[in-house]
Amino acid sequence: MSDSLWWLPSLLVFAIAGAIAVFGIGALRRASLRRDAATDSSLLELQRRAGGLLVRTDNRVQESEDELGFAQAQFGDAAVIDYRNAIDTARRRLREAFLLQQRLDDAEPDTVDERRRWNTQIIELCTSADAALAGEDARFRERRSTERNAPQQLLAVQTQLAAAELRADEIRAVSQSLSARFAPSALDALERHIDDASELLVSASGLLEAASLRIQGGGVEPVADVLRSAHDDVTRSGGALAAAELAAARIAAAETASAGLAVQLQGAIAEAREVRDGHVDPAAAIALNLCVDQAGMALAEHARLARSGGVSADPVADLDALRAAIDRLDAATSAARGQQDRLEHARIALGGALVAARSHIAAARDCIGARRGVVGAPARTRLAEAERQLMLAEAESDPVSALDIARRAVRHADDAEALARYDGEIRGM
């Protein structure tokens, strides 16, 4: 290449660089235009949605204000307080939304982010206002439906009331039967639940009578609230009646279980006397003899109440007294045996206790199985606890602890069988 053309390569390099720069700038501009177009499209969609919600919510507020007057005339001032508050709330939110729309419509230019944020706020305000009104509108539609169907609903609640009153009469008869056999203190909880149910049923009856008069009068006075209150009273009376039935069941179950505990106490007394008579420490024998006498008194009181027909007895209190006597006597007997022969005696007694526990559990399981369709949760729970105690007793390395656990398994099994038999008796099995 001649020296006169030395500049040609440089010119070629500059030309190529310029072409690349022009192409890159064009590509950047095209990408920017595409982003702007996408932004404009999403923003326009957001604006259209916000504008549509503004119009719809404004119409909804106007319609609700008209509906408020109709509801007020139909149901009274007190019934529309929440409705009025909902309309006021919706109106405030709508005003905020229109202020934001005014900012968007004024002559001052806004950034894309501002327009997007304000349109989003308009949508949220309108949606919230609409939801507040929708809930109240639905409530009054339901209430009008109740008013239209008031005669049918009155009949339904009257039917429920009649069933509850019949159930209450049956429980009163049970209470009367128990009162002839047991002391008034035994029936305190039962009578309290019956009184609660009776008050609720009287209230429901009065409300239904008032509702019936309103319906027959053909006036505009609403009955929906009266019917709802009557229905609530009947429902609550059902809970009180269920509690009364449970209280009666506890009395009967305690009477049955106390017989089994009395047998256990007899065995514990015989065992304690044997330990007392063979004890080498006179002081320990005297202490054990005191517990034997106390247990004998509890057993004698139980027998006296059984002979008298139970007219002065409280079965639950009797059951608690027998159980406490057994626990005291067991503790005293265990202490009196002394450290030397205590473990040996426990080892000897444990085998029989485990056999007894398995036998009593099997008897309880058979009793529940024969009455599977009617036996409730209390009996099944006692059986499950008895089985758990038996497993603990079999795994316990300390024979004294294992013996105590096995005896608990026997008691739980006996309770389970007694409760199962009671469930079968009250259900005719």
Side-chain angles (χ1 to χ4, degrees), residues 4 19 53 114 175 199 222 267 269 309 322 348-349 353 365 402 405 412 418:
S4 61
L53 280 174
E114 287 176 334
S175 176
E199 290 179 6
I269 290 174
L322 289 172
I348 295 173
R365 189 184 298 115
I405 297 170
H412 284 300

Side-chain angles (χ1 to χ4, degrees), residues 49 53-54 56-57 60-61 85-94 96-97 120-136:
R49 185 182 173 196
L53 280 174
L54 266 174
R56 190 177 75 180
T57 305
R60 182 66 177 270
V61 170
N85 292 337
I87 292 175
D88 291 342
T89 299
R91 191 183 292 111
R92 285 195 302 271
R93 291 171 183 170
L94 185 61
E96 293 179 31
T120 300
Q121 289 177 0
I122 289 172
I123 292 172
E124 291 174 351
L125 287 167
C126 290
T127 301
S128 176
D130 188 75
L133 296 175
E136 287 299 315

Side-chain angles (χ1 to χ4, degrees), residues 173-408:
V174 171
S175 176
Q176 186 67 28
S177 174
L178 292 174
S179 67
R181 300 174 53 210
F182 302 116
S185 61
L187 308 178
D188 283 345
L190 172 60
E191 292 295 337
R192 184 174 66 254
H193 294 311
I194 291 176
D195 290 343
D196 291 343
S198 298
E199 290 179 6
L200 290 166
L201 292 175
V202 169
S203 174
S205 179
L207 290 169
L208 289 177
E209 184 177 354
S212 178
L213 291 174
R214 291 185 184 184
I215 292 172
Q216 293 173 6
V220 296
E221 194 172 5
V223 298
D225 288 344
V226 179
L227 288 174
R228 187 175 293 108
S229 296
H231 176 268
D232 290 345
D233 283 348
V234 173
T235 301
R236 290 168 56 202
S237 74
L241 292 174
E245 290 170 340
L246 182 58
R250 286 198 188 101
I251 294 172
E255 183 184 25
T256 303
S258 63
L261 282 183
V263 174
Q264 291 184 30
L265 184 56
Q266 287 175 342
I269 290 174
E271 181 182 3
R273 284 172 176 165
E274 182 181 348
V275 173
R276 177 201 61 190
D277 295 342
H279 210 285
V280 296
D281 184 359
I286 292 173
L288 181 57
N289 191 59
L290 179 61
C291 289
V292 169
D293 290 342
Q294 292 174 342
M297 291 172 60
L299 192 61
E301 177 64 12
H302 169 76
R304 184 188 69 79
L305 294 174
R307 287 193 303 271
S308 67
V311 292
S312 61
D314 183 337
V316 177
D318 184 33
L319 182 68
D320 291 341
L322 289 172
R323 194 180 299 279
I326 289 174
D327 292 341
R328 285 195 303 268
L329 195 57
D330 282 347
T333 302
S334 297
R337 285 197 182 98
Q339 189 64 28
Q340 184 175 2
D341 63 345
R342 188 163 174 256
L343 292 177
E344 184 59 29
H345 180 276
R347 289 191 188 95
I348 295 173
L350 179 58
L354 291 174
V355 171
R358 296 186 188 104
S359 175
H360 284 246
I361 288 172
R365 189 184 298 115
D366 291 342
C367 183
I368 292 174
R371 300 164 176 80
R372 184 176 294 108
V374 298
V375 173
R380 298 170 190 266
T381 302
R382 299 297 193 288
L383 175 60
E385 181 61 18
E387 292 171 338
R388 189 181 76 87
Q389 294 290 340
L390 176 60
M391 291 176 60
L392 292 175
E394 291 170 339
E396 178 60 55
S397 59
D398 181 1
V400 175
S401 298
L403 179 60
D404 291 338
I405 297 170
R407 287 172 173 170
R408 284 201 298 271

